[in-house]
């Protein structure tokens, strides 16, 4: 199986490393990246084949992973038009719709659009995927196998909801980092050292997430179990809710989704 990466960057590097660990043959993976240092690093780290230009790479790969910035995508894929055969195209370019990508690829229709998030860099990501109707079950399974190299996957039937995926899980790590930041600030004000505050905050978030993942109960019930009547947790939550913390998070996600739709229209325009 020939797998061709167009572009590099941290997410592509994580995918390549994860795929090699997962059992994909390094000799079957090819990368097109104009940066000589990036090519050397990838070749030395994983034993993959690296090329400076599309003309040097294999024709008609089984999988083409598009890992260039969406603003550069149209120009970047132009040399590949007519060379893809029946390749499955997997795009990890944020915000770029499949219709525009299909046009730019000469009406190639075997396209899967993906939205991984930054925890994928440590193998703990979550990726939303959607596909054009021309992608069959085998193609969907292959795309899933590629993205599961860096974490979990979830299929989205309606591409319009991909902006929601971006708002929830794509941008979501920033929301969690903000919460960790707030916990660390509180720890400092309570007299803890920076290292103590960091450990207390991060391990609390890690443990709570693990507990939620291990339970079939809704988050609201898990929260209630920690909240004793008249206790410390209730005192904290009353202040947070009064200051609009929960509503602010929901509103923020909706704002992110709306902005994603705006950017998608700009990116996909001819």
């Amino acid at each position: 199986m020939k797998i061709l990466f167009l572009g590099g960057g941290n997410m592509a590097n994580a995918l390549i490393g994860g795929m090699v660990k997962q059992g994909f043959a390094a000799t079957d993976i090819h990368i097109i990246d104009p940066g000589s240092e990036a090519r050397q690093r990838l070749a030395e780290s994983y034993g993959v084949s690296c090329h400076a230009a599309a003309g040097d790479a294999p024709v008609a790969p089984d999988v083409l992973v598009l890992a260039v910035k969406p603003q550069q995508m149209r120009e970047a894929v132009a040399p590949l038009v007519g060379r893809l055969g029946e390749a499955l195209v997997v795009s990890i370019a944020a915000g770029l719709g499949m219709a525009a990508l299909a046009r730019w690829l000469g009406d190639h229709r075997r396209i899967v659009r993906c939205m991984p998030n930054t925890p994928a860099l440590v193998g703990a990501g979550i990726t939303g995927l959607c596909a054009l109707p021309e992608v069959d079950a085998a193609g969907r399974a292959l795309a899933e196998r590629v993205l599961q190299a860096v974490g979990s996957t979830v299929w989205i039937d309606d591409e319009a909801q991909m902006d929601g995926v971006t708002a929830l899980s794509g941008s979501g790590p920033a929301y969690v980092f903000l919460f960790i930041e707030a916990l660390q600030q509180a720890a400092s004000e309570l007299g803890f050292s920076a290292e103590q505050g960091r450990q207390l905050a991060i391990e609390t978030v890690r443990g709570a997430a693990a507990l939620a993942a291990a339970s079939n109960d809704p988050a609201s019930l898990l929260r209630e179990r920690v909240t004793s009547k008249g206790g410390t947790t209730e005192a904290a939550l009353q202040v947070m809710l009064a200051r609009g913390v929960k509503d602010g998070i929901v509103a923020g996600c909706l704002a992110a989704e709306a902005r994603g739709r705006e950017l998608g229209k700009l990116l996909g325009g001819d």
Side-chain angles (χ1 to χ4, degrees):
M1 178 183 296
K2 291 183 293 186
I3 302 161
L4 178 61
F5 276 76
L6 179 59
N10 291 336
M11 191 62 69
N13 291 353
L15 270 172
I16 293 165
M19 290 170 67
V20 171
K21 290 180 182 178
Q22 196 184 58
F24 285 86
T27 53
D28 290 338
I29 300 176
H30 297 257
I31 296 96
I32 302 171
D33 194 318
S36 59
E37 291 184 6
R39 293 197 305 273
Q40 181 177 353
R41 183 172 61 252
L42 286 167
E44 291 176 351
S45 298
Y46 305 115
V48 298
S49 300
C50 298
H51 314 277
D56 303 326
V59 176
D62 296 289
V63 181
L64 169 64
V65 180
L66 299 177
V68 298
K69 293 180 180 179
Q71 298 89 341
Q72 302 169 351
M73 185 66 75
R74 187 174 188 177
E75 180 180 357
V77 300
L80 299 174
V81 174
R83 302 181 62 211
L84 296 178
E86 294 299 311
L88 178 71
V89 176
V90 176
S91 172
I92 60 174
L96 182 59
M98 293 186 289
L101 194 52
R103 289 197 308 272
W104 299 344
L105 288 171
D107 202 32
H108 187 88
R109 302 283 299 173
R110 283 177 50 79
I111 296 175
V112 176
R113 176 181 169 187
C114 308
M115 182 65 238
N117 63 0
T118 54
L121 301 179
V122 292
I126 176 70
T127 300
L129 306 92
C130 64
L132 289 176
E134 288 79 2
V135 179
D136 58 11
R140 290 167 69 97
L142 180 55
E144 199 168 54
R145 184 183 170 203
V146 169
L147 271 300
Q148 284 178 347
V150 291
S152 303
T153 56
V154 57
W155 281 97
I156 308 300
D157 294 330
D158 184 358
E159 187 183 7
Q161 288 187 296
M162 288 298 286
D163 292 316
V165 172
T166 301
L168 291 171
S169 62
S171 300
Y175 316 152
V176 178
F177 297 149
L178 178 63
F179 182 64
I180 292 173
E181 181 183 353
L183 287 179
Q184 288 180 272
Q185 180 178 333
S188 176
E189 295 185 15
L190 290 168
F192 294 101
S193 69
E195 182 54 37
Q196 288 172 324
R198 182 179 188 277
Q199 185 176 2
L200 287 166
I202 291 175
E203 294 305 323
T204 296
V205 171
R206 191 204 306 269
L211 182 59
S215 175
N216 291 322
D217 295 326
S220 59
L221 181 56
L222 297 177
R223 171 180 53 76
E224 289 171 5
R225 287 175 181 163
V226 185
T227 310
S228 301
K229 186 69 175 177
T232 59
T233 307
E234 185 182 61
L237 291 176
Q238 285 178 347
V239 172
M240 292 179 186
L241 292 174
R243 296 195 178 190
V245 171
K246 184 177 180 180
D247 290 343
I249 292 170
V250 174
C253 290
L254 297 179
E257 189 271 346
R259 181 57 176 158
R261 281 188 280 110
E262 293 175 0
L263 293 174
K265 292 177 182 178
L266 294 173
L267 291 169
D270 289 324

